[in-house]
Amino acid sequence: MVNTATAPLSNRKPSKVEGIKENSNFLREPVATEILEDTTHFSEDAIQILKFHGSYQQDNRDNRVKGQEKDYQMMLRTRNPGGLIPPQLYLALDKLADEYGNQTLRATTRQGFQLHGILKKNLKTAIATIVKNLGSTLGACGDINRNVMAPPAPFKNRPEYQYAWEYAQNVADLLSPQTGAYYEIWLDGEKAISAEEHPDIKAARERNGNGAIVHDSVEPIYGTHYMPRKFKICVTVPGDNSVDLYTQDLTLVVITNKNKELQGFNVFAGGGLGRTHNKEETFARAADPIGYVQKEDVYDIVKAVVATQRDYGDRATRRHARLKYLIHDWGVDKFRSQVEEYFGKSLEPFKQLPKFKYHDFLGWNEQGDGKLFLGISIDNGRVTDVGDFKLKTALRSIVEKFNLPIRLTPNQNLIFYEISPEDQEAIQTILDECGIVTNPDEISALTRYAMACPALPTCGLAITESERAIPGILERIRTLLDRLGLQKEHFVVRMTGCPNGCARPYMAELGFVGSAPESYQVWLGGSPDQTRLAKPIIEKLNHNDIESFLEPIFIYFKKFRKGKEKFGDFCDRVGLDAIREFSTTYTPGTPVSSGKSRHRVSLKDDIYNKLKETAEQQSKPMTELVHEALEQYFQNL
Ligand code: SRM
Ligand code: SF4
């Protein structure tokens, strides 16, 4: 049995952030002091603690001027398990965005909303407004359990979906921080007006059969130092991978009997995506199946996994601190035995599951009880009014008029539900008038399945553009596919401005990961349903070279795919070496669809070999190198 009260944080020197947490008096200082100061920004220590309260200090990177103070602003992130946004909260967020933010809302990849551009002096009002309108930002960021995800579909006739919502909420409650800091700082001590916690959860938080909780602590689950790093959970149903389940630290899959009564949960653990370029010891990792637990044990297994990471996760090196590294270093068996020690018994064998599929639930659908739901696609999650496309206006007027709840999706979209069929026409009219397409078949399929993280100008970690670059890049990929005779083809494209992987690019069929200004590492071979990790094919592709790089790959796919094989599956089957080999010998302009003639020039063997070698080194087609060399030669004539 592990005595958590005395378990060492680590044998190595804990990282600086561990000291900041320890000295914070359970997430109070230095935020409580600095929020009262008339300054534009927080200190480094306060920034770390502020994250636990759901806010990041940022600056508008477009406005950086050498020698001048940065244009400081705060990002606020909501915590809403299963993506639930009550109508009252939506209207409050919409107003806050206009009054204090950058007039946009940003639906995130974990079913939350972000507000950008809030000045420090307005932060308290913004957080207090969110809490008073049934929302929260507590634990949306920081070394703690993050927003718990669940499939957003409101199927009322499929009890498994209802269980996923219920348990996402309950697990979020179980792991929510118990310190009073949040209410003291942002609401002058007023307690939140929130729904009553389920008595089972309160009991589970206090139950300590096996050392899973920290005795006599304000934070029975976390202790003084909280988690070594962020911790991410989802609850899903068999076959539904709308939540990207392989990327989570902990995944629970609802298991029901033939009568659709809840029996228990399959448990996966150890997924995670963040990595650092050129640091092999960091990597994206897909979660492993760990076992099965009965429904009455679900809170204890969550506590046991959390306690294992809390007590054995690396607190010295933050880059190595996620649960995925602990499982990688220990192996699944050792991890499972430690979890079982906290759990107090063995896990049962994992139950067989059907194949997981990705669903986006867009368009008008029946929710199974006579009412309707409507999934609306939001480009990269950005809720805004641009020209004739007035998404922000449309969403606000729908909520104002029909008081509908919203479920944010893990793909940066949203679902209105509980819609009476007689309101369908009026809602559709609002959307039509605001230029919003609701028929998913009318949305370009590349755009529909794509995601990009915010990156510039708000994200301090961005190496290059993402959200602002992806529309143009998707359009160019579409044009290329059309030119190559692949008009009907589409696949999952995801882009991030750095390797942290916020839009989960490592699960995409085609992933772009910022690696230098205007350049991306390119990943290929994820599956259309996000059940497999992709692999990197090139480290730095300048965005100007996207067509010349992708053309040979698309041609190879077109020529050698098996039947209706999807792009990601093809890349995975043939492998990156074969793709590279094909690309280096590919001649652009091959009469695939254009019918243009191809010119041949013969080369001596030694020149050809040098050309091939250089093309491989530079990951460029040989023809491109020849073109470049000849162009230079002719210029110098
Ligand atoms: Fe993320 C840090 C945005 C989902 C991995 N993420 C950040 C920060 C806060 C940058 C920072 O630390 O200063 C970004 C703020 C940008 C901005 O201007 O708003 C940021 N992450 C986002 C969001 C908004 C992206 C989006 O397009 O929606 C997502 C917010 C989700 C939410 O509501 O909670 C978001 N981040 C993710 C995901 C995907 C997921 O959780 O399903 C990942 C990969 C999965 C994972 O965690 O392994 C992710 N974000 C990271 C990491 C790398 C973590 C690691 O293990 O190395 C960082 C950097 C860090 O923690 O040091 C990061
Ligand atoms: Fe910022 Fe990188 Fe996350 Fe994009 S992936 S939001 S650039 S941390």
Side-chain angles (χ1 to χ4, degrees):
M1 192 186 294
V2 180
N3 180 350
T4 52
T6 55
L9 282 177
S10 158
N11 293 331
R12 290 170 298 138
K13 191 170 171 274
S15 73
K16 198 168 162 247
V17 181
E18 293 303 319
I20 297 173
K21 289 183 274 185
E22 184 173 321
N23 295 330
S24 73
N25 185 16
F26 292 99
L27 310 181
R28 286 176 179 83
E29 293 297 347
V31 175
T33 301
E34 292 186 21
I35 193 69
L36 302 174
E37 292 166 359
D38 183 17
T39 52
T40 53
H41 57 284
F42 291 94
S43 67
E44 278 306 313
D45 286 8
I47 288 171
Q48 295 305 330
I49 298 303
L50 188 65
K51 292 181 188 177
F52 290 80
H53 296 256
S55 181
Y56 274 79
Q57 181 161 302
Q58 304 184 319
D59 71 287
N60 185 332
R61 293 176 62 179
D62 285 348
N63 295 347
R64 279 187 189 174
V65 180
K66 226 176 167 191
Q68 282 183 20
E69 187 183 280
K70 287 178 179 167
D71 181 6
Y72 287 111
Q73 50 184 41
M74 309 296 147
M75 175 270 273
L76 255 186
R77 185 183 288 168
T78 64
R79 190 208 70 136
N80 28 270
L84 172 63
I85 304 282
Q88 179 183 341
L89 177 60
Y90 185 80
L91 294 177
L93 290 169
D94 177 86
K95 203 157 164 235
L96 284 175
D98 289 348
E99 281 181 4
Y100 300 118
N102 66 355
Q103 290 79 49
T104 74
L105 283 172
R106 178 62 160 63
T108 75
T109 53
R110 287 197 75 76
Q111 302 180 277
F113 263 131
Q114 283 190 179
L115 289 162
H116 288 103
I118 299 177
L119 299 181
K120 177 172 173 272
K121 63 178 183 190
N122 298 324
L123 192 60
K124 186 166 172 176
T125 311
I127 295 181
T129 306
I130 289 172
V131 178
K132 286 176 181 162
N133 286 283
L134 311 176
S136 178
T137 63
L138 175 60
C141 324
D143 295 346
I144 199 160
N145 176 49
R146 300 294 189 88
N147 198 34
V148 180
M149 288 165 63
F155 294 129
K156 294 292 168 66
N157 54 349
R158 296 181 62 184
E160 66 274 29
Y161 276 86
Q162 300 299 312
Y163 295 134
W165 279 6
E166 181 187 336
Y167 279 83
Q169 181 65 56
N170 290 352
V171 168
D173 288 348
L174 174 75
L175 299 179
S176 92
Q178 299 298 294
T179 168
Y182 188 69
Y183 303 102
E184 285 165 29
I185 298 175
W186 310 107
L187 286 130
D188 301 320
E190 242 177 82
K191 187 71 189 129
I193 330 136
S194 59
E196 259 310 288
E197 188 172 75
H198 195 288
D200 289 357
I201 294 158
K202 201 168 173 344
R205 198 183 297 112
E206 282 156 15
R207 193 164 53 239
N208 187 26
N210 308 285
I213 71 162
V214 182
H215 285 296
D216 302 325
S217 175
V218 170
E219 297 286 8
I221 294 202
Y222 296 117
T224 316
H225 297 90
Y226 293 83
M227 297 297 276
R229 206 65 166 81
K230 54 179 71 166
F231 193 82
K232 298 185 171 178
I233 301 182
C234 76
V235 185
T236 191
V237 308
D240 190 327
N241 193 26
S242 55
V243 289
D244 242 331
L245 73 99
Y246 290 98
T247 68
Q248 315 275 340
D249 291 88
L250 174 62
T251 290
L252 300 172
V253 185
V254 165
I255 304 290
T256 53
N257 63 14
K258 276 190 194 135
N259 300 327
K260 293 283 179 189
E261 290 154 346
L262 180 65
Q263 300 298 293
F265 295 86
N266 263 353
V267 180
F268 288 85
L273 300 182
R275 40 179 290 283
T276 308
H277 288 307
N278 307 317
K279 299 234 178 289
E280 296 280 304
E281 69 278 17
T282 67
F283 43 82
R285 185 176 192 279
D288 293 295
I290 303 293
Y292 169 83
V293 293
Q294 299 292 337
K295 65 170 191 267
E296 44 282 354
D297 290 334
V298 66
Y299 304 125
D300 286 337
I301 195 66
V302 170
K303 278 164 57 191
V305 173
V306 166
T308 303
Q309 161 69 353
R310 177 195 67 207
D311 294 343
Y312 296 97
D314 187 342
R315 290 188 186 257
T317 310
R318 286 184 67 77
R319 200 175 269 147
H320 183 254
R322 292 291 293 273
L323 179 70
K324 64 179 173 183
Y325 297 116
L326 186 66
I327 298 187
H328 171 82
D329 295 349
W330 277 5
V332 171
D333 289 343
K334 180 171 173 189
F335 171 74
R336 191 190 292 107
S337 350
Q338 183 56 59
V339 168
E340 286 172 344
E341 229 178 276
Y342 287 114
F343 187 45
K345 55 183 162 184
S346 298
L347 275 103
E348 293 177 38
F350 197 75
K351 305 266 181 215
Q352 224 192 334
L353 292 172
K355 269 194 176 164
F356 278 102
K357 296 262 172 220
Y358 171 75
H359 304 283
D360 64 8
F361 308 111
L362 291 186
W364 286 100
N365 300 276
E366 302 205 346
Q367 68 179 36
D369 60 355
K371 291 199 169 171
L372 303 173
F373 74 88
L374 171 63
I376 298 180
S377 172
I378 310 175
D379 280 6
N380 307 307
R382 188 67 67 178
V383 178
T384 182
D385 286 349
V386 186
D388 292 338
F389 299 99
K390 297 197 166 25
L391 180 64
K392 188 160 175 294
T393 301
L395 299 184
R396 185 179 52 238
S397 37
I398 291 171
V399 179
E400 274 168 356
K401 289 201 176 89
F402 301 97
N403 198 36
L404 296 175
I406 290 172
R407 289 275 167 175
L408 294 175
T409 82
N411 222 31
Q412 305 170 324
N413 298 323
L414 67 74
I415 291 175
F416 281 122
Y417 64 114
E418 306 294 6
I419 305 174
S420 304
E422 59 271 23
D423 294 336
Q424 180 175 9
E425 205 182 313
I427 292 172
Q428 186 62 49
T429 305
I430 295 176
L431 289 159
D432 290 345
E433 282 170 3
C434 290
I436 309 305
V437 175
T438 52
N439 178 355
D441 298 336
E442 287 173 23
I443 302 168
S444 151
L446 276 184
T447 306
R448 172 175 177 178
Y449 297 107
M451 290 206 288
C453 72
L456 295 168
T458 52
C459 180
L461 306 178
I463 299 170
T464 191
E465 296 282 353
S466 181
E467 186 186 319
R468 296 194 293 200
I470 200 170
I473 287 176
L474 290 178
E475 221 172 281
R476 285 165 57 194
I477 294 176
R478 182 73 271 156
T479 308
L480 177 64
L481 288 168
D482 291 352
R483 176 164 66 78
L484 300 177
L486 289 160
Q487 285 86 346
K488 290 205 172 131
E489 215 48 50
H490 66 84
F491 35 79
V492 176
V493 183
R494 292 178 174 180
M495 174 179 275
T496 54
C498 86
N500 283 320
C502 297
R504 301 187 288 267
Y506 309 118
M507 305 306 284
E509 295 181 271
L510 173 58
F512 292 97
V513 175
S515 54
E518 305 199 337
S519 298
Y520 298 89
Q521 188 184 46
V522 178
W523 290 64
L524 292 176
S527 79
D529 294 306
Q530 289 86 62
T531 50
R532 177 180 63 225
L533 281 169
K535 296 189 182 85
I537 182 157
I538 183 171
E539 291 305 314
K540 276 189 193 131
L541 176 70
N542 187 281
H543 76 104
N544 290 320
D545 300 330
I546 282 176
E547 284 87 350
S548 57
F549 179 75
L550 288 179
E551 178 170 329
I553 303 176
F554 289 159
I555 290 293
Y556 190 30
F557 167 57
K558 182 175 171 176
K559 281 187 173 171
F560 296 103
R561 75 194 295 189
K562 284 188 175 163
K564 291 193 171 159
E565 192 174 32
K566 297 292 292 176
F567 179 62
D569 292 339
F570 167 81
C571 293
D572 182 63
R573 176 174 60 79
V574 299
L576 298 190
D577 285 346
I579 293 174
R580 282 194 192 100
E581 170 82 26
F582 183 86
S583 294
T584 48
T585 53
Y586 172 75
T587 312
T590 311
V592 174
S593 65
S594 64
K596 279 185 200 151
S597 64
R598 191 167 92 176
H599 306 289
R600 284 176 189 277
V601 179
S602 49
L603 297 173
K604 286 188 182 153
D605 282 353
D606 57 335
I607 297 281
Y608 176 81
N609 290 337
K610 266 191 203 155
L611 178 64
K612 192 169 177 213
E613 203 180 291
T614 317
E616 274 168 6
Q617 276 165 5
Q618 298 189 9
S619 301
K620 280 185 178 172
M622 286 196 286
T623 324
E624 197 180 321
L625 280 187
V626 172
H627 273 280
E628 282 172 15
L630 285 176
E631 241 166 47
Q632 213 167 6
Y633 173 78
F634 289 126
Q635 268 171 20
N636 294 335
L637 273 183

